[in-house]
Amino acid sequence: MSLVKIAVLDMNNNHANEGMRCILHIIRNVQGNDHAELAFDVFDVRANNELPDLDYDIYISSGGPGSPMASSDEWESRYFELIDQIFDWNAHNDRKKFVFLICHSFQLVVRHLGLGLLSRRKSTSFGIFPVHKTDEGDSETLLEGLPDPFFAVDSRDYQITSPDAERMTEMGADILCLEKIRPHVLLDRAVMAMRFSPEIIGTQFHPEADNEGMLRYFLQPEKRNHIVLNFGQEKYDDMVSYLQDPDKIPLTESVILPGFLRQAIRSLSSTVEEHEVA
């Protein structure tokens, strides 16, 4: 097995967060538990306009704060150029490149590809919520180890709705998950996960979130007070309870992103073997 190179795209714009720690922790776990030959580099995309080239096998693009709407920031055009280059590479090469898009990155790429409507929510979605699989999600191998619905950390002011069916068919994209069922709310359910291609997938929620980091975050007095003030004591108590339930956030964290890495590594390894035989 040759060395697999991973580019981690930090989209947090210098804001403190737990997400990057969680992503790197998952990479190191797969590296250690699977004895995988992995190397990774981190690119500060929004704050320092750092972007990788096509010299990587796997790209993980993080969540982040702020607006995913169109901007004139230099990093944005370079980011979309990279995404387009990866799609083009995969269309013309046997050894594919794999991409996982999280939250902010997911919204950006859906907007860039014209696959759905990106809009600001009427109110912030913040908490641990059930995520429901679609029919396509039921047959998605990355979600096989999760119940329906499963639970995930959701933190966003924006959403993807009104998927463009024609554009999705053209690209071969599938919606894998939708947000919680809200019978009392007369609004479209947001798209929570999408497979853009066999190698490229994205989630609106945070599959990297772990209970340890989230619990530490929520137990900070200033964070607790902020959540109680803005969302209520009941929401806070529910979130702390969910973080201590092994069938909720720990299960989601253990299945999706590690599964993506393992699938990508297997595919890359089999491509190398095929070339060696040839």
Side-chain angles (χ1 to χ4, degrees):
M1 174 65 195
S2 60
L3 180 69
V4 172
K5 297 177 64 177
I6 303 173
V8 182
L9 281 62
D10 182 350
M11 305 291 283
N12 288 283
N13 204 20
N14 281 342
H15 287 256
N17 72 98
E18 288 283 342
M20 285 298 296
R21 178 192 61 79
C22 292
I23 291 169
L24 299 182
H25 178 69
I26 288 171
I27 293 172
R28 292 187 182 106
N29 270 356
V30 171
Q31 189 176 34
N33 296 338
D34 296 27
H35 306 292
E37 292 290 324
L38 306 179
F40 65 86
D41 295 309
V42 177
F43 296 84
D44 192 341
V45 177
R46 294 170 67 189
N48 290 344
N49 196 25
E50 296 174 356
L51 281 138
D53 55 21
L54 290 179
D55 194 33
Y56 291 84
D57 303 296
I58 299 173
Y59 300 76
I60 301 174
S61 191
S62 80
S67 170
M69 295 298 192
S71 78
S72 58
D73 294 342
E74 185 183 349
W75 68 263
E76 184 172 304
S77 60
R78 295 185 62 211
Y79 181 81
F80 291 144
E81 183 180 351
L82 173 65
I83 296 297
D84 291 342
Q85 287 173 341
I86 292 172
F87 272 102
D88 185 64
W89 173 279
N90 286 343
H92 297 99
N93 293 274
D94 291 335
R95 184 179 170 90
K96 308 301 185 183
K97 297 188 182 297
F98 295 82
V99 181
F100 200 106
L101 305 159
I102 298 171
C103 195
H104 191 91
S105 298
F106 171 74
Q107 295 169 345
L108 286 169
V109 173
V110 170
R111 167 170 69 80
H112 174 62
L113 297 175
L115 291 168
L117 175 66
L118 172 63
S119 63
R120 191 177 184 94
R121 287 176 53 87
K122 290 187 179 298
S123 61
T124 299
S125 178
F126 180 73
I128 298 167
F129 298 113
V131 178
H132 296 261
K133 299 179 189 179
T134 62
D135 289 344
E136 290 77 14
D138 277 334
S139 58
E140 168 58 50
T141 56
L142 276 188
L143 304 179
E144 278 179 359
L146 296 172
D148 186 19
F150 60 92
F151 284 79
V153 171
D154 193 25
S155 177
R156 60 194 165 93
D157 291 313
Y158 293 82
Q159 63 183 358
I160 300 293
T161 55
S162 306
D164 187 325
E166 186 176 336
R167 177 72 174 133
M168 291 194 66
T169 300
E170 176 190 338
M171 284 196 64
D174 287 316
I175 294 170
L176 304 179
C177 302
L178 296 170
E179 71 179 333
K180 64 180 180 177
I181 298 170
R182 301 172 298 168
H184 57 290
V185 178
L186 298 177
L187 295 171
D188 287 344
R189 291 166 68 195
V191 175
M192 296 302 286
M194 183 182 294
R195 181 165 283 288
F196 298 86
S197 75
E199 303 83 24
I200 301 174
I201 190 169
T203 62
Q204 176 64 84
F205 57 88
H206 287 268
E208 80 281 15
D210 65 4
N211 58 341
E212 172 198 339
M214 295 297 293
L215 194 57
R216 183 170 60 245
Y217 178 83
F218 288 140
L219 291 177
Q220 295 174 22
E222 68 274 18
K223 301 301 181 188
R224 178 192 179 282
N225 293 339
H226 174 79
I227 295 168
V228 171
L229 180 65
N230 288 278
F231 301 99
Q233 184 68 46
E234 185 178 357
K235 168 64 73 70
Y236 178 81
D237 292 341
D238 283 347
M239 290 167 71
V240 171
S241 173
Y242 283 174
L243 286 170
Q244 295 168 324
D245 184 341
D247 293 326
K248 290 188 168 62
I249 298 310
L251 180 60
T252 301
E253 182 223 357
S254 72
V255 168
I256 296 180
L257 201 49
F260 163 78
L261 286 170
R262 292 182 175 115
Q263 281 188 9
I265 292 165
R266 280 197 302 270
S267 176
L268 291 162
S269 178
S270 65
T271 303
V272 169
E273 290 170 4
E274 287 171 9
H275 284 182
E276 287 175 348
V277 169

